[in-house]
Amino acid sequence: IINMELSKKSSYENAPFDGERFGFHTDVLPIYSVSDGDAEKIADYERGECAVAVKGDRAYSGVGKLPPALWRRLAKEAGVFIYTEKNIPVYGDSRFIACQFPENGTDSIEVKSDGIYKDMFTGKRYEAKDGALEFEHYEYQMMMFVKEDKKN
């Protein structure tokens, strides 16, 4: 349990994290802040009260629209495998990895194991080495990789 308190202040609450401001852009009531001295503060409201905190296996945010970097930090602390530090959509499960990049280029994502990965949309095969899968893509191309087993 994370101890909270109701804040008497409101209006356009924002909190900075890793150089990015996030939060509400309209009045929101009620607003809560973390008052638990045992919780790890992650981000404070601009007025100084704690907006985001973690305690044990629980996280709390009093503001919405958390930035991707904050979600990644929370996910890493929970033991989630992170495919990329870029702010792109990524889906991964025990069989597939899907991702989309907003521009043309060459990128890479982290993978749990080396081997040959096939893009299910184009049929192209890519080799992952040292935990990284590198590939070329075009603007907004959706890619869905499946790792080929040794029988194929």
Side-chain angles (χ1 to χ4, degrees), residues 8-148:
K8 302 200 182 341
K9 300 173 186 172
S10 174
S11 80
Y12 312 106
E13 293 299 339
N14 285 283
F17 176 79
D18 201 26
E20 185 175 350
R21 294 164 51 107
F22 65 99
F24 302 115
H25 301 289
T26 59
D27 280 340
V28 176
L29 285 172
I31 291 289
Y32 291 89
S33 60
V34 177
S35 61
D36 194 323
D38 293 329
E40 175 192 359
K41 284 184 171 189
I42 304 295
D44 289 333
Y45 293 117
E46 290 175 326
R47 58 185 154 81
E49 296 173 338
C50 182
V52 181
V54 173
K55 182 179 177 183
D57 63 354
R58 298 186 187 267
Y60 172 81
S61 177
V63 290
K65 296 166 75 171
L66 301 181
L70 181 50
W71 280 115
R72 274 192 300 278
R73 175 180 171 171
L74 295 173
K76 284 178 189 176
E77 289 178 8
V80 174
F81 184 83
I82 303 298
Y83 291 93
T84 182
E85 293 294 327
K86 291 189 173 195
N87 295 338
I88 61 158
V90 177
Y91 169 82
D93 64 19
S94 63
R95 184 142 166 85
F96 297 102
I97 305 167
C99 56
Q100 184 180 41
F101 291 84
E103 71 284 325
N104 294 329
T106 300
D107 277 286
S108 66
I109 57 173
E110 300 297 315
V111 292
K112 294 179 183 179
S113 61
D114 291 348
I116 303 299
Y117 287 78
K118 179 180 177 181
D119 178 9
M120 299 301 291
F121 298 122
T122 65
K124 280 184 86 173
R125 288 175 168 76
Y126 302 88
E127 185 176 3
K129 296 179 184 175
D130 300 321
L133 177 63
E134 187 174 302
F135 49 89
E136 291 182 12
H137 55 83
Y138 57 83
E139 183 179 25
Y140 293 109
Q141 178 181 2
M142 185 71 193
M143 303 183 84
M144 185 167 73
F145 299 104
V146 62
K147 185 174 184 199
E148 295 187 334

